[in-house]
Amino acid sequence: MDEHKNEPNTASTKTATLSDGTVMTKKLFKNLEKQAQKPGNKTKQINAACALAECHDDGIFVDKDAKKAFRYYKIAAELGDVTSQQNLGVCYAQGQGVEKNVEASAM
């Protein structure tokens, strides 16, 4: 949903800078996939889910996948991340990665 500093990256790209300044590497991407699903440290889980949502939304290290982006935005939103809650609303309003639901987009 947010613009990142680099154009969408192909599998051959070694790094990408996300909108929050995080320098994403393939190794970090793999670690974040585990961290986003692992309850424990709420802040780390939110940060991981947000980064992965952006990667899937913008095609960083993976093909663009609105459903996976939605899933990670939802994880972060449910943990209280305001930006992810807004992005989730956009997903519902526009039907990105989820069936369009105007009522859910207003929540």
Side-chain angles (χ1 to χ4, degrees), residues 35-106:
Q35 204 168 48
Q37 301 296 329
K38 183 179 177 182
N41 185 315
K42 183 177 172 180
T43 302
K44 285 184 179 182
Q45 191 177 8
I46 288 172
N47 291 340
C50 289
L52 291 169
E54 184 173 347
C55 287
H56 285 288
D57 207 15
D58 295 332
I60 300 171
F61 297 128
V62 292
D63 291 333
K64 287 185 178 188
D65 188 330
K67 287 182 181 181
K68 286 183 181 177
F70 173 83
R71 185 176 82 213
Y72 287 116
Y73 284 133
K74 188 171 182 182
I75 289 170
E78 288 175 347
L79 290 169
D81 184 66
V82 174
T83 301
S84 294
Q85 291 169 352
Q86 293 169 338
N87 289 338
L88 205 60
V90 171
C91 289
Y92 278 119
Q94 298 178 356
Q96 293 177 322
V98 66
E99 188 174 326
K100 188 174 182 175
N101 184 334
V102 178
E103 289 178 17
S105 72

Side-chain angles (χ1 to χ4, degrees), residues 22-33 52:
T22 299
V23 177
M24 181 65 71
T25 63
K26 290 179 184 180
K27 183 178 180 179
L28 178 58
F29 182 89
K30 293 292 182 192
N31 289 337
L32 292 177
E33 286 181 313
L52 291 169

